[in-house]
């Protein structure tokens, strides 16, 4: 699935990790929603998806992996079109705070989703 945000950015605005993480939580939620909506009401499906996305956000915020005497923290990182990692990923540990409104998209953001469907053989 692809998400496009059509709103114009102010001159000189630099996209940061926080902007992209907020968009990513919305993208994940909208990707999962159809899987849940097949077997339950939309309200219940949205509540379940928000719960899953929140748990994933906490994993990125507070999770860790210890190996070889070192601790590694998972982070959601973004790269630009040239493959350059956008700065600020190490400091971002508040992803869970960006999940509470994944289905409330302001119309002025002009957000659209494109679903990539696998062709059945």
């Amino acid at each position: 699935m692809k998400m496009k945000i059509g709103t114009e950015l102010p001159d000189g605005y630099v996209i940061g990790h926080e902007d992209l993480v907020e968009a990513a939580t919305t993208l994940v939620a909208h990707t999962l929603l159809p899987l849940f909506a097949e077997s339950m009401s939309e309200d219940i499906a949205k509540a379940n998806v928000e719960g899953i996305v929140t748990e994933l956000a906490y994993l990125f915020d507070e999770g860790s992996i210890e190996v070889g005497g070192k601790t590694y923290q998972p982070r959601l990182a973004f790269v630009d079109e040239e493959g350059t990692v956008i700065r600020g990923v190490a400091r971002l540990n508040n992803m869970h705070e960006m999940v509470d409104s994944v289905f409330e998209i302001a119309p002025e953001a002009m957000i659209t989703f494109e679903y990539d469907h696998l062709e059945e053989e």
Side-chain angles (χ1 to χ4, degrees):
M1 175 185 286
K2 296 178 183 177
M3 175 183 191
K4 293 187 179 183
I5 303 172
T7 189
E8 294 288 323
L9 297 176
D11 287 338
Y13 188 85
V14 177
I15 295 287
H17 261 89
E18 196 158 315
D19 299 312
L20 294 171
V21 165
E22 189 168 9
T25 60
T26 299
L27 179 63
V28 169
H30 282 266
T31 301
L32 292 175
L33 184 60
L35 301 173
F36 285 83
E38 290 178 2
S39 60
M40 59 191 71
S41 73
E42 186 173 341
D43 288 342
I44 293 173
K46 284 180 176 181
N48 284 329
V49 168
E50 279 189 10
I52 290 168
V53 175
T54 299
E55 289 302 316
L56 288 171
Y58 273 109
L59 171 68
F60 281 104
D61 290 346
E62 300 173 354
S64 66
I65 299 170
E66 293 182 23
V67 62
K70 292 187 176 187
T71 301
Y72 300 90
Q73 298 169 327
R75 294 291 185 259
L76 185 59
F78 296 91
V79 296
D80 63 16
E81 294 169 336
E82 289 81 37
T84 305
V85 176
I86 295 175
R87 297 162 77 69
V89 67
R91 303 186 297 277
L92 191 65
N93 63 357
N94 62 334
M95 188 174 180
H96 67 277
E97 296 172 3
M98 301 174 200
V99 176
D100 60 350
S101 60
V102 291
F103 294 111
E104 297 172 17
I105 299 173
E108 58 270 13
M110 298 185 300
I111 294 176
T112 58
F113 297 94
E114 291 180 11
Y115 295 87
D116 296 328
H117 296 285
L118 298 175
E119 292 183 23
E120 294 183 24
E121 295 181 24

